[in-house]
Amino acid sequence: MIPTASPADFRVTLDVVRGCLLGLALGDALGAPHEGGLLERLVWRVVGRTRLGERRWTDDTQMTLDVVESLLARGAVHQDDLARRFARSQHWSRGYGPGAARVLGRIRRGDSWEHASRSVYPEGSFGNGAAMRAPILGVVYACDAESLDDAVTRSAVITHAHPLAIEGALIVARATAAAAMGLAMREHIEHAADGAALAPYRARLRIAADWLSQNTSVPIATVRDQLGNGIAAVDSCVTALYLAVSRLDSPFMTLHEAAVALGGDVDTISAMAGAIWGARHGGAALPAEPLASLEDRDRLERLASDLARIDWSRSGDGPRR
Ligand code: AR6
Ligand code: MG
């Protein structure tokens, strides 16, 4: 039985942080071999395993780790520090989006993130690269809606200044928070639909809420057609949320299989959905194998422990250790 908590009495546990972080990394690593066209899949067959034979994760997890390490170092989302970490970590073999790679290259060469972020597209990127690193902020700031929105927006604009990218990140982070707190997810999506600032999100969230209220199984091709499966935030954030919520009572691997069947941006949709599922059920519910063969598992575990040791709820005057 999943406990329900109001924001006031919710406390982030290690199990929830592990569920979110490892669920994201696992969804990412399992989805990566199925991503992209023939060429990308061939490349991943070469670079998709570490020297130890572990399943490598992609930019989704790398940027999430940058967020976590920056949070731990600075106590809050510190944009200059985070931009430096994003830029330093970027490597072609992690499969960054082409626009994001160029933005991060500019930051590495000394450009300010404020300028670099609008250097490829003047209105900023509308890709899902901000949303894919947002779930952990949803967990950390679950009981403080204002701090959550502020942290997610500040993290997003460093590389994704477009309003569609920011709203997608907010939707994913708020849903992860709701999942972590054990809230009723269909109702959460209905509220999200009513409150969405941008029409394309309102429409997709409404579709997802209607499907969930009908309680019928929706063909994956219909999910693809109506919610999307692409790299734009608007074509993947609600999709990931719907996949996670419609399969919340099924095993983790069911979720992954659905993401593979959906196609398109499999690793990022699978990562975001995996993070939401993991925040709900906790790390102990994740499948032991493939978790045992996940890249850098020790680092992920250590960071989850470090995050869970801190009370992030009093963000106004800095977290308490
Ligand atoms: N105008 C036109 N096209 C755009 C715009 C815009 N304002 N913004 C984005 N695009 P990017 P990401 C298109 O590069 O969001 C990786 O696999 C453009 O084609 O910022 O960080 C990640 O894991 C651009 O290249 O990347 C994600 O799954 C593309 O959208 C995925 O790629 C992606 O935006 C996106 O990562
Ligand atoms: Mg991706």
Side-chain angles (χ1 to χ4, degrees), residues 14-24 274-275 277-279 281-284 286:
L14 174 57
D15 194 36
V16 167
V17 177
R18 284 185 74 238
C20 177
L21 204 54
L22 295 170
L24 180 125
W277 192 101
H281 294 288
L286 293 170

Side-chain angles (χ1 to χ4, degrees), residues 63-83:
M63 292 193 112
T64 297
L65 295 183
D66 293 332
V67 168
V68 171
E69 287 173 345
S70 182
L71 267 183
L72 289 167
R74 299 292 184 141
V77 174
H78 184 296
Q79 290 169 298
D80 293 340
D81 180 74
L82 190 49

Side-chain angles (χ1 to χ4, degrees), residues 28 35 58-60 94-95 128 132 231 265-269:
D28 179 14
E35 162 104 12
T58 75
D59 56 338
D60 308 60
R94 296 280 183 203
N128 56 19
M132 71 195 187
I231 57 178
D265 194 359
V266 179
D267 61 353
T268 294
I269 292 173

Side-chain angles (χ1 to χ4, degrees), residues 10 12-28 60-61 64-65 67-68 131-142 172-181 252 255 270-286 291 294 300-301 303-304 307:
F10 175 75
V12 181
T13 63
L14 174 57
D15 194 36
V16 167
V17 177
R18 284 185 74 238
C20 177
L21 204 54
L22 295 170
L24 180 125
L26 203 51
D28 179 14
D60 308 60
T61 304
T64 297
L65 295 183
V67 168
V68 171
M132 71 195 187
R133 59 184 189 247
I136 196 65
L137 292 169
V139 161
V140 161
Y141 294 110
V172 170
R174 291 170 185 158
T176 313
M181 289 192 286
F252 181 89
L255 184 61
S270 170
M272 295 190 291
I276 295 168
W277 192 101
R280 177 63 142 224
H281 294 288
L286 293 170
L291 204 52
L294 184 63
L300 290 159
E301 295 282 4
L303 290 173
L307 268 187

